[in-house]
């Protein structure tokens, strides 16, 4: 196999580049990533007057210098804080919690929780659904089921609290369990009213309410409601709840919320199911590594899962130091990172083959073969 000199030089260069890419493949994968600019998403949320979501989303990114040093992000943060701190805004959110039992702000959530925990909310909702039934209007079976479960939970909560006192604390776990159910009832009512309750959960609640009413026990719903209650204590918990598809996915979402706290809704907004998959390995990957990878989007989470937290953090730090590299360098890095491994090895092989001295080997082979003896006449 023979190659002309220009071809051999080109193949050698390609082989060297391919070898370098193979050697630095992990670093190139990070360099090829682009970080998320949160400003457009925040502006959209502000335009829709979803200030609580906008604040949570922007606050997550403000932990990183590339956003913290952005004047546009700083201006949006100041605007959001001004609106959320105004008396009229806080009063409207308080009213939502008291009269509707729903709110996306802490003050409204607190009001809703208070009314529901003191059975006022449950009786209110039962009365409303009863009135609808009497007047021949549509009855929301899910809200009625939740209210019925809430009444039973309140009675159990009172009984558990009395038992705790009488047994010097031995009945405390039962009291905690009923508190979880009450918290679950609260958030599920809010989810229903805001259209955030997934269909599978509505059916489950209606069926469970029948069991609870018959047995007057909460055993059949305790685990489910405890998972919901864990989401209830997380900002954006209703949005997270709406993304679940069954009890198993609810459990995964609740565990993620327990691990990542206030950042969970934003992380899920960024990574979706990929984030949940990565969150399940939080002990191995590290919560801070997952948060950092999320600033690069879904691709960042995938690269983290592939190369591990130590190298991801190191290469991300290097990438931030050469942030001035420009679009051309980004384009080159992304192109090289996308090249399949088999192609890189093929180019390396061609580079080696091109410089093998085939003619010399041929002559050497011929010299080693003895000449045929010509027989005498």
């Amino acid at each position: 196999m023979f190659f002309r000199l220009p071809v051999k030089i080109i193949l050698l260069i390609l082989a060297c580049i391919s070898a370098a890419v193979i050697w630095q493949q992990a670093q190139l994968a990070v360099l090829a990533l682009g970080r998320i600019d949160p400003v457009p998403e925040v502006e959209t949320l502000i335009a829709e007057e979803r200030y609580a979501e906008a604040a949570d989303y922007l606050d997550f990114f403000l932990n990183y210098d590339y956003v913290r040093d952005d004047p546009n992000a700083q201006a949006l943060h100041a605007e959001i804080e001004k609106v959320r701190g105004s008396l009229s805004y806080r009063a409207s959110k308080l009213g939502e919690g008291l009269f509707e039992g729903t709110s996306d702000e802490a003050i409204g959530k607190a009001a809703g929780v208070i009314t529901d925990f003191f059975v006022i909310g449950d009786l209110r909702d039962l009365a409303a659904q009863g009135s609808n039934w009497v007047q021949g209007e549509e009855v929301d079976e899910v809200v009625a089921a939740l209210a019925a479960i809430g009444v039973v939970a309140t009675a159990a909560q009172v009984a558990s609290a009395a038992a705790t006192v009488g047994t010097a604390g031995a009945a405390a776990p039962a009291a905690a369990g009923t508190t979880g159910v009450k918290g679950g009832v609260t958030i599920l009512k809010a989810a229903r009213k805001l259209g955030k309750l997934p269909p599978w959960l509505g059916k489950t609640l209606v069926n469970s309410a029948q069991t609870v009413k018959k047995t007057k026990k909460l055993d059949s719903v305790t685990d489910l409601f405890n998972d919901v209650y864990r989401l209830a204590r997380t900002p954006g918990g209703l949005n997270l709840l709406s993304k679940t598809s069954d009890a198993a996915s609810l459990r995964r979402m609740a565990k993620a919320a327990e691990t990542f706290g206030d950042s969970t809704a934003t992380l899920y907004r960024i990574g979706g199911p990929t984030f949940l998959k990565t969150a399940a390995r939080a002990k191995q990957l590290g919560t801070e590594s997952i948060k950092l990878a999320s600033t690069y989007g879904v691709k960042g989470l995938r690269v983290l899962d592939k190369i591990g937290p130590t190298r991801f953090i190191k290469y991300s730090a290097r990438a931030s130091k050469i942030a001035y590299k420009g679009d051309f360098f980004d384009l080159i890095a992304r192109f090289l990172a996308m090249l399949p491994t088999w192609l890189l090895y093929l180019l390396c092989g061609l580079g080696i083959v091109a410089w093998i001295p085939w003619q010399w080997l041929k002559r050497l082979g011929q010299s080693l073969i003895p000449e045929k003896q010509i027989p005498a006449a």
Side-chain angles (χ1 to χ4, degrees):
M1 186 175 185
F2 303 96
F3 295 91
R4 294 184 180 275
L5 183 60
V7 175
K8 292 170 69 174
I9 292 174
I10 291 172
L11 288 174
L12 178 62
I13 293 172
L14 290 174
C16 292
I17 293 174
S18 299
V21 171
I22 292 170
W23 179 43
Q24 296 291 339
Q25 209 163 26
Q27 185 166 199
L28 278 171
V30 176
L31 290 174
L33 296 172
R35 300 193 97 166
I36 294 175
D37 178 7
V39 169
E41 180 73 10
V42 173
E43 289 176 339
T44 299
L45 292 171
I46 290 175
E48 297 172 356
E49 298 185 354
R50 294 156 63 184
Y51 292 100
E53 286 184 57
D56 290 338
Y57 188 76
L58 183 57
D59 285 348
F60 172 78
F61 285 97
L62 286 173
N63 290 309
Y64 301 94
D65 290 338
Y66 83 100
V67 176
R68 189 163 50 241
D69 296 336
D70 183 357
N72 293 328
Q74 294 174 358
L76 287 173
H77 182 260
E79 179 184 349
I80 292 169
E81 291 302 303
K82 181 179 179 181
V83 172
R84 296 180 78 200
S86 67
L87 183 60
S88 59
Y89 179 83
R90 294 174 68 83
S92 67
K93 294 300 176 181
L94 176 62
E96 285 181 359
L98 285 174
F99 301 110
E100 300 176 24
T102 66
S103 181
D104 57 352
E105 290 285 0
I107 187 171
K109 289 178 182 176
V113 167
I114 289 170
T115 58
D116 279 317
F117 262 66
F118 286 98
V119 85
I120 298 170
D122 296 322
L123 295 177
R124 174 195 62 204
D125 291 331
L126 280 175
Q129 297 307 316
S131 175
N132 288 346
W133 182 76
V134 169
Q135 296 176 18
E137 298 178 2
E138 184 179 357
V139 175
D140 192 323
E141 293 183 352
V142 175
V143 173
L146 283 169
I149 293 172
V151 170
V152 174
T154 300
Q157 193 174 38
V158 173
S160 296
T164 300
V165 175
T167 59
T178 55
T179 299
V181 173
K182 284 293 295 179
V185 168
T186 300
I187 193 172
L188 289 174
K189 284 183 182 178
R192 182 64 171 180
K193 294 170 185 175
L194 294 174
K196 301 288 186 180
L197 191 74
W200 74 269
L201 189 50
K203 295 177 182 178
T204 300
L205 291 171
V206 172
N207 294 332
S208 298
Q210 300 297 326
T211 303
V212 171
K213 284 193 289 185
K214 288 179 182 178
T215 63
K216 303 300 180 184
K217 293 182 180 180
L218 301 169
D219 297 347
S220 61
V221 297
T222 299
D223 290 341
L224 178 72
F225 277 70
N226 282 337
D227 288 337
V228 171
Y229 187 45
R230 282 194 282 180
L231 286 181
R233 294 176 292 176
T234 305
L238 296 184
N239 288 328
L240 295 173
L241 179 67
S242 69
K243 306 300 181 182
T244 62
S245 56
D246 51 31
S249 65
L250 174 61
R251 174 60 55 87
R252 289 193 293 271
M253 194 76 82
K255 286 183 177 179
E258 201 166 50
T259 301
F260 291 94
D262 293 355
S263 301
T264 309
T266 296
L267 289 168
Y268 187 85
R269 180 191 290 271
I270 294 169
T274 303
F275 160 67
L276 284 183
K277 180 181 176 181
T278 308
R281 299 184 59 214
K283 288 185 178 180
Q284 293 81 21
L285 298 175
T287 57
E288 293 305 316
S289 299
I290 293 173
K291 289 180 181 179
L292 174 63
S294 294
T295 65
Y296 295 93
V298 173
K299 291 182 179 178
L301 291 170
R302 290 173 180 164
V303 171
L304 170 65
D305 192 57
K306 183 178 180 181
I307 70 175
T310 303
R311 289 198 292 173
F312 188 91
I313 292 171
K314 180 174 69 174
Y315 296 151
S316 177
R318 289 182 185 176
S320 64
K321 290 178 182 177
I322 56 173
Y324 58 85
K325 57 188 178 292
D327 294 336
F328 179 74
F329 187 92
D330 284 342
L331 187 61
I332 294 296
R334 286 176 185 149
F335 172 74
L336 293 175
M338 288 190 300
L339 291 176
T341 304
W342 66 265
L343 178 59
L344 297 173
Y345 280 107
L346 176 62
L347 291 173
C348 288
L350 286 174
I352 294 171
V353 170
W355 285 89
I356 293 176
W358 296 103
Q359 291 184 347
W360 180 83
L361 290 174
K362 182 179 180 181
R363 288 195 298 268
L364 178 63
Q366 289 174 345
S367 67
L368 294 176
I369 299 174
E371 296 181 0
K372 292 183 179 179
Q373 297 294 326
I374 302 176

